[in-house]
Amino acid sequence: MPRSRVSLSAAAVLAAAAVSVPAASQPAVEPPRVPPQGAPQVPGAVLEPVALKALPGWREDDGAAALDTFRRTCAGPGPNPPQVPAVTGSPADLAAACAAAAAVKPEDAKKFFEARFSAYRIVRPASGTEPERRVGFLTGYFEPELTGSLTPGPGYTAPVLARPDDLVSLAPGETAPGLDPIYRAGRRTETGLVPYPDRAAIEDGALGERTRPLLWLRDYVDLFVLQVQGSGRVRLPDGRGMRVLYDGKNGQPYTSIGKLLVAEGHLPINGLSLERWTTWLRANPDHARRLMRMNASYIFFRTEPVTDPALGPPGAAGVPLSPGRSMAVDGNLWRYGLPFWLEGKLPGQPGRGHLVVAADTGSAIVGPARGDLYVGTGAAAGRAAGDLHDRMGFVVLIPKPAPAAKDDAVKDAAVPEAAGGEPRP
């Protein structure tokens, strides 16, 4: 299932400012690195082999929680549209690891990952005048919990719109005749695709009967938050809850409202959290409407019941996100389902590392050492996500070729083979 979330505005601003800083322990300039023989080739990075057992924090991390998330991702329907063929991670090898994971006992989770995967530290080599940068950048995102109504009225004025019937979404890398590649969707007409109306035009009624309101939120700031995050939970006046999920976007370029607020001098970049900029928007309604309309991108939604309150919405891999264990990655570089080890201390988490699974993507998540960790649902998760914008080391776990599953290392790890077909990664 495609997904639109773009990352918190403040985090995106901070990421842009921070990723060019070299690690303090590294020299200012190093000669270009040569990829180790046999290591996967990833644009913009060199992958250096490492031993999982030797990683600080590996023994202390909760392997069973990571295994549970890995299994859930394996069992999903897969992304729709599919990822581009060139992404790193063999689908056959990942499927074999998924099949083997089905029968692994929780206490054997670490042995499973050690036996079935080869680990590589993601090193970003020097580029031009920039020195080598060993670390990447990690931000956080969450599922907002909002109040809404199935009918408009006082306190419920911002419509959440369903996908229009004339919207045509383009797959990654796909282009359409006559449509500028800057647009990632178009409007179907008798003569072909044309650019879809932008946010301001849609709010002014440009879609007419092509769409319909699914429900109403309290104001356009809440709607903007929902669109930035890409999904959310909505509590209705009668106490019922529903999940509001991404169902397409107009394909217009996205503009960060955080960058606009900083550029115009309304708020400083330091401490720019979601709570702070939404509070400012509500206190300055005239500026708020103008600034929000400067973001031409517009998201459409669908609704479904909340089946498991402990899990988040489906990510790009098509499966519900696990708080603290599901991570958004650059979906043009990495295959969903790949585990990643985060080398560093996470806010609120014990230990010095954390095993997560690639299960999502986002417009601002670009590059081999860039991640966005799903934190959870609600206001507390929102604050935690806003606080997460740190330099972080990334180690990717690449599934070993399927024949390697029969060697002694796997037998010693006591990882049985699952019967039946191979689950899709």
Side-chain angles (χ1 to χ4, degrees), residues 45-72:
V46 174
L47 302 189
E48 296 182 340
V50 295
L52 286 174
K53 291 181 179 180
L55 293 173
W58 174 256
R59 295 184 183 277
E60 293 76 26
D61 190 47
D62 187 354
L67 177 64
D68 182 64
T69 300
F70 179 72
R71 285 170 170 163
R72 186 176 296 110

Side-chain angles (χ1 to χ4, degrees), residues 199 224 255-257 260-261 264 266 280-281 284-296:
R199 175 178 297 273
F224 197 86
T255 300
S256 165
I257 196 166
L260 295 175
L261 288 166
E264 293 191 4
H266 301 301
W280 188 93
L281 290 177
N284 299 272
D286 293 337
H287 278 305
R289 194 69 183 273
R290 175 182 63 83
L291 288 168
M292 288 190 291
R293 283 180 167 225
M294 289 175 69
N295 176 24

Side-chain angles (χ1 to χ4, degrees), residues 66-362:
L67 177 64
D68 182 64
T69 300
F70 179 72
R71 285 170 170 163
R72 186 176 296 110
T73 308
C74 287
N80 183 22
Q83 292 181 272
V84 295
V87 297
T88 297
S90 162
D93 294 344
L94 190 56
C98 284
V104 177
K105 297 178 181 179
E107 60 268 26
D108 291 328
K110 295 287 182 59
K111 293 180 179 179
F112 164 76
F113 288 110
E114 292 165 1
R116 285 283 181 172
F117 294 85
S118 298
Y120 299 89
R121 179 173 287 114
I122 302 171
V123 176
R124 294 177 297 165
S127 175
T129 59
E130 294 182 347
E132 179 164 304
R133 298 168 294 175
R134 285 191 174 274
V135 295
F137 199 76
L138 182 71
T139 50
Y141 69 106
F142 76 112
E143 180 186 38
E145 194 165 38
L146 308 168
T147 59
S149 172
L150 296 178
T151 57
Y156 302 107
T157 58
V160 177
L161 298 182
R163 181 187 178 98
D165 60 9
D166 60 350
L167 176 65
V168 177
S169 301
L170 300 181
E174 182 183 2
T175 59
L179 190 66
D180 192 312
I182 193 175
Y183 301 113
R184 302 311 309 148
R187 192 173 201 174
R188 184 188 299 108
T189 69
E190 293 182 356
T191 58
L193 295 184
V194 299
Y196 215 78
D198 63 13
R199 175 178 297 273
I202 291 172
E203 290 183 352
D204 289 340
L207 302 188
E209 296 183 355
R210 294 291 187 180
T211 185
R212 62 183 177 85
L214 299 169
L215 57 110
W216 280 260
L217 301 179
R218 60 174 174 162
D219 59 25
Y220 279 91
V221 176
D222 270 1
L223 177 61
F224 197 86
V225 170
L226 178 67
Q227 293 184 320
V228 167
Q229 294 301 319
S231 64
R233 296 188 198 184
V234 174
R235 183 68 57 184
L236 301 175
D238 61 6
R240 287 183 297 152
M242 65 170 54
R243 181 160 270 145
V244 183
L245 300 175
Y246 169 84
D247 199 24
K249 57 183 175 180
N250 64 347
Q252 294 275 354
Y254 171 81
T255 300
S256 165
I257 196 166
K259 290 183 179 180
L260 295 175
L261 288 166
V262 171
E264 293 191 4
H266 301 301
L267 290 173
I269 189 172
N270 292 333
L272 182 58
S273 64
L274 180 142
E275 183 177 8
R276 189 171 184 184
W277 63 256
T278 54
T279 299
W280 188 93
L281 290 177
R282 290 197 171 95
N284 299 272
D286 293 337
H287 278 305
R289 194 69 183 273
R290 175 182 63 83
L291 288 168
M292 288 190 291
R293 283 180 167 225
M294 289 175 69
N295 176 24
S297 178
Y298 195 92
I299 311 301
F300 303 101
F301 296 94
R302 60 184 177 85
T303 61
E304 68 175 34
V306 178
T307 55
D308 187 343
L311 296 176
V319 296
L321 302 171
S322 300
R325 295 290 171 177
S326 295
M327 186 175 73
V329 298
D330 188 336
N332 291 317
L333 294 178
W334 302 112
R335 188 170 301 282
Y336 302 133
L338 290 179
F340 284 77
W341 176 256
L342 301 177
E343 293 187 291
K345 182 74 170 66
L346 295 180
Q349 295 288 346
R352 300 172 57 193
H354 207 56
L355 188 60
V356 300
V357 179
D360 208 354
T361 193

